Amino acid sequence: MDGKHPKLQPKTPVPSDIEVSQDIVNEVGLLPIEDVAREAGLLPEEVIPWGIAKAKIHLKTTLDRLSDQPDGNYIVCTGINPTPLGEGKSTTTIGLAQALGAILGKKSFACIRQPSQGPTFGIKGGAAGGGYAQVVPMEEFNLHLTGDIHAITAANNLLAAAIDTRMFHEDSQSDEALYKRLCLANGKPFNAIMKKRLAKLGIDTNKSPEDLTAEERSKFARVDFDKSTITWQRVLDTCDRHLRGVTVGCGSKETIQLRGTVKGETPREQHSRETGFDITVASEIMAVLALTKDLPDLREKLGSMVVGYSKSAEPITADDLGCGGALTVLMKDALLPTMMQTVERTPVMVHAGPFANIAIGNSSIVADRLALKLAGEDGYVVTEAGFGADIGMEKFFNIKCRESGLKPKCAVIVATVRALKMHGGGPPVSAGKPLAKEYTEENIPLVVEGCANLCKHIENAKKFGVQVVVAINQFKSDTAVEMEAIRKASMDAGAYDAVVSNHWAEGGKGAEALGRAVIAACEAGKSEDFRYLYDLELPIRSKIEIISKEIYGADGVDFSETAEQQMAKYETSGFGKLPICIAKTQYSFSCDAAAKGVPTGFRISVREIRSCVGAGFLYPICGDIMTIPGLPTRPGFYDVDIDTETGAVIGLF
């Protein structure tokens, strides 16, 4: 680096993540985001600065300009089944990108998810990476960023309000009264979203509102919800177990006089129903953001989201409620990826943030596409897939790559001595509790036994036709003998290479060997070798069974009566050819979080299957997985505060 922007020198011992981030700002200075963007290959008019540290990137104009540019080498970074402390996928993603860019001189990008406020203030802390392999400033990365998650919350809850409002008015008004208020009161012609519903109903879209027959007016005005089928819930980006089940519509103004009765002759009925909340990152709108390709696709996906069914078993969409356009308006800025920088000033694309255990677990297609074009044929894009490879990587390959058409060459699987000891029979690992001596002292038998978990993930990745490199994420208590045992097991399982990486303590330099291994793996890999695990034409049941048997190692799948009914409904509705996004625990191949290593003799239990038709997948919920986590006894927010003199955030890890 030049004298104006010298490189931050790692300290020993390594300070906390937030101290490293603040050292960048205070000791050597951030590279202005306009300079990061320019060095990445962006033009000034393609960059929307968001303060000194962040920028939104114009999508269409940039991709149009780079349309003839060959894509870079596409690498997914995933991991073994983790401990509750995490094993460093984000840190490895950043460290590898730093090694490729700042150390080996390649054009490189990291693409990572925006972190949820839930784990940031809950159990896990931030998700900016860590040590000398992180996105900076980490406090801006972890807190609000550019407001995308807030936009998703607003859009999701607007649609939830539209659902309850529509049911409220339909329950209390005649068809003709509904139609007059919807279509005749303002004297305007049908707008675009109304014409879309007319076309769906088979009504001539050239007609004016006054021209519809009484039957057509009734069909148009009344969506006629079967309230038992509504799947859309409200969201917030906080872990709050007490909102998993709620009753809405209990206010004094939410009583209705049922249509068809004479006012005053029957008591007014309370318009209440049982529903619940999900965490924002589990919203289908978050999945849409991750899987959309451009603004027209975003509009189509949001409008196509199915929120429930009518009493005649017809799917009801956001566009049926007149809401798709408004949702897109709320989401239009969120569609633009955010650019930041690493500790070593290499570029990072931050976009979308779905969890992997209850959603698709990957950052956005548009961020990856943009980075691949900017990287060019000789460049490298490292994109992170959340949690263990059995969920995040599987969904990356089968859902995200299928939707994008992009073909990766290499999968980096992150493993730690700590997690492999746990899978080998070590004591439970819990956040906030000291590690048992088995994890801080050399224990070769536990490591060797636990490597079965890593080997199963290597086997799974190779089923997709990609090269596999194992990143042994080094912790200070790990011994050379333990790490060599992991390397040997990895190579015996068919990995292209297995490399010790110490990027947390040393930054890009500590991941140099990993970077060289990834370059070699990409040279050995061929995009045309990439393949999917299952054919979309298969029945829903078969696709779930293939994932469960091939990836998890289950003996089979048990479907609840509810799930059986839902599968039949989705097949009848034409949704049977969608890919599958299984929601299950990240801590085990099975549905039992306590079953470590490579469990055998188990079955996957599917209690319900939700549809994410707009995003483009079906969503089986397995075991006791929850779509909004709870807070522990001592949440992470206990340690977060602010220096009122300087305004600096303290205690955020």
Side-chain angles (χ1 to χ4, degrees):
M1 304 299 291
D2 59 34
K4 183 179 178 183
H5 296 292
K7 182 178 178 179
L8 183 68
Q9 296 303 311
K11 298 176 181 177
T12 304
V14 178
S16 70
D17 293 349
I18 196 165
E19 288 173 328
V20 172
S21 179
Q22 291 169 350
D23 283 348
I24 288 284
V25 175
N26 298 327
E27 294 184 16
V28 299
L30 288 168
L31 191 64
I33 197 64
E34 294 90 342
D35 293 350
V36 176
R38 185 183 66 253
E39 291 183 7
L42 289 158
L43 303 178
E45 59 269 24
E46 294 166 347
V47 181
I48 308 170
W50 199 285
I52 190 173
K54 309 182 290 289
K56 285 282 193 179
I57 307 301
H58 280 295
L59 197 58
K60 186 177 186 304
T61 53
T62 309
L63 288 175
D64 285 349
R65 175 174 67 84
L66 298 171
S67 60
D68 295 331
Q69 171 92 310
D71 286 346
N73 294 278
Y74 199 25
I75 303 140
V76 62
C77 185
T78 182
I80 62 174
N81 295 104
T83 70
L85 306 178
E87 307 317 307
K89 285 185 304 301
S90 299
T91 307
T92 303
T93 299
I94 300 303
L96 174 56
Q98 288 180 167
L100 290 166
I103 305 301
L104 298 174
K106 304 293 184 180
K107 199 160 188 183
S108 74
F109 290 80
C111 292
I112 61 176
R113 293 172 294 165
Q114 178 182 352
S116 163
Q117 180 181 298
T120 297
F121 289 128
I123 192 170
K124 193 169 180 285
Y132 290 99
Q134 63 170 297
V135 183
V136 291
M138 68 89 74
E139 56 269 47
E140 292 190 29
F141 177 85
N142 283 293
L143 302 173
H144 305 299
L145 197 63
T146 49
D148 293 356
I149 289 181
H150 301 318
I152 292 165
T153 303
N156 185 102
N157 293 342
L158 176 64
L159 183 53
I163 293 167
D164 283 303
T165 296
R166 188 59 169 264
M167 289 191 296
F168 178 85
H169 290 301
E170 287 193 15
D171 283 348
S172 59
Q173 297 180 51
S174 68
D175 293 354
E176 183 62 20
L178 276 171
Y179 185 78
K180 285 180 178 178
R181 289 182 171 89
L182 283 170
C183 304
L184 300 176
N186 60 12
K188 295 180 180 179
F190 289 121
N191 61 24
I193 202 166
M194 290 175 163
K195 288 185 176 182
K196 191 171 184 179
R197 177 159 171 78
L198 290 172
K200 177 180 177 178
L201 296 171
I203 300 171
D204 185 355
T205 58
N206 292 316
K207 285 187 174 183
S208 67
E210 294 80 7
D211 294 337
L212 267 61
T213 66
E215 181 182 359
E216 290 171 336
R217 292 183 179 200
S218 177
K219 286 171 64 179
F220 181 89
R222 190 170 297 281
V223 297
D224 205 23
F225 270 107
D226 175 353
K227 297 178 185 179
S228 68
T229 69
I230 296 172
T231 55
W232 198 263
Q233 302 204 119
R234 288 164 174 81
V235 299
L236 80 167
D237 197 42
T238 302
C239 295
D240 192 343
R241 58 172 46 86
H242 295 94
L243 293 178
R244 289 170 182 162
V246 301
T247 303
V248 296
C250 298
S252 61
K253 300 294 186 180
E254 281 69 60
T255 58
I256 57 172
Q257 182 75 34
L258 293 180
R259 60 190 175 93
T261 62
V262 178
K263 189 173 183 178
E265 290 189 0
T266 31
R268 296 171 67 83
E269 289 198 6
Q270 190 74 47
H271 186 77
S272 61
R273 69 180 183 94
E274 300 299 314
T275 181
F277 277 72
D278 295 328
I279 196 163
T280 298
V281 290
S283 169
E284 183 175 356
I285 296 178
M286 175 63 88
V288 165
L289 180 64
L291 294 173
T292 199
K293 293 184 279 292
D294 50 35
L295 185 59
D297 190 43
L298 177 68
R299 174 63 184 86
E300 178 62 27
K301 281 180 163 64
L302 291 174
S304 299
M305 294 187 303
V306 173
V307 298
Y309 287 78
S310 70
K311 291 171 184 172
S312 58
E314 293 296 322
I316 299 170
T317 67
D319 272 348
D320 286 325
L321 299 172
C323 208
L327 300 181
T328 310
V329 168
L330 286 171
M331 290 295 297
K332 69 179 180 65
D333 292 334
L335 176 62
L336 307 181
T338 300
M339 177 173 275
M340 295 185 73
Q341 62 190 285
T342 69
V343 168
E344 297 181 12
R345 303 191 181 95
T346 57
V348 181
M349 293 290 186
V350 185
H351 204 211
F355 281 176
N357 57 349
I358 53 178
I360 66 165
N362 284 265
S363 60
S364 74
I365 287 172
V366 295
D368 287 3
R369 284 180 63 202
L370 188 59
L372 285 164
K373 291 297 183 188
L374 289 166
E377 190 171 13
D378 297 326
Y380 296 84
V381 173
V382 186
T383 189
E384 179 197 7
F387 287 133
D390 55 318
I391 44 182
M393 181 192 72
E394 181 272 317
K395 295 169 185 179
F396 171 79
F397 289 142
N398 282 321
I399 300 176
K400 183 177 176 182
C401 290
R402 201 188 297 264
E403 181 70 16
S404 69
L406 299 171
K407 296 181 178 181
K409 290 183 178 178
C410 176
V412 174
I413 300 179
V414 180
T416 62
V417 169
R418 176 180 68 193
L420 292 175
K421 285 180 175 178
M422 180 190 70
H423 285 294
V429 175
S430 301
K433 295 183 179 179
L435 289 170
K437 65 180 179 61
E438 287 86 349
Y439 299 106
T440 57
E441 299 174 1
E442 183 174 276
N443 192 315
I444 305 302
L446 283 183
V447 173
V448 171
E449 187 71 20
C451 279
N453 182 272
L454 169 60
C455 293
K456 173 61 175 169
H457 287 298
I458 295 170
E459 173 194 325
N460 286 346
K462 288 174 69 67
K463 292 177 181 179
F464 295 92
V466 299
Q467 300 291 334
V468 179
V469 173
V470 173
I472 305 168
N473 186 18
Q474 184 177 1
F475 290 5
K476 63 182 180 181
S477 61
D478 300 342
T479 69
V481 180
E482 289 173 327
M483 291 184 290
E484 179 57 30
I486 299 172
R487 173 176 165 76
K488 182 178 185 306
S490 301
M491 300 306 289
D492 290 346
Y496 180 86
D497 206 347
V499 181
V500 175
S501 191
N502 194 20
H503 41 274
W504 178 78
E506 299 176 5
K509 187 66 179 174
E512 182 177 357
L514 177 61
R516 293 187 186 280
V518 166
I519 291 171
C522 288
E523 290 173 350
K526 298 178 182 179
S527 296
E528 54 266 31
D529 291 340
F530 175 71
R531 54 188 176 270
Y532 306 119
L533 186 68
Y534 54 79
D535 190 326
L536 290 182
E537 298 295 320
L538 291 171
I540 297 168
R541 178 189 304 275
S542 298
K543 287 180 283 196
I544 296 172
E545 288 175 342
I546 287 171
I547 296 170
S548 299
K549 292 177 181 179
E550 291 289 323
I551 301 298
Y552 309 153
D555 290 343
V557 183
D558 298 320
F559 296 90
S560 70
E561 183 178 345
T562 297
E564 293 279 6
Q565 293 169 352
Q566 289 167 329
M567 281 192 292
K569 179 179 289 185
Y570 297 147
E571 298 277 8
T572 301
S573 300
F575 306 147
K577 296 181 181 179
L578 294 174
I580 301 299
C581 178
I582 294 181
K584 77 167 193 72
T585 179
Q586 68 269 31
Y587 296 123
S588 171
F589 280 111
S590 73
C591 290
D592 178 6
K596 304 304 181 184
V598 183
T600 58
F602 68 93
R603 297 178 68 82
I604 295 295
S605 174
V606 178
R607 74 171 193 257
E608 65 172 301
I609 304 174
R610 298 183 185 179
S611 66
C612 289
V613 175
F617 57 80
L618 299 178
Y619 176 11
I621 299 179
C622 301
D624 59 357
I625 195 74
M626 296 294 178
T627 54
I628 182 167
L631 288 168
T633 304
R634 191 186 194 283
F637 60 68
Y638 267 76
D639 299 310
V640 178
D641 212 322
I642 194 163
D643 184 325
T644 56
E645 293 295 322
T646 65
V649 175
I650 53 178
L652 189 64
F653 291 95

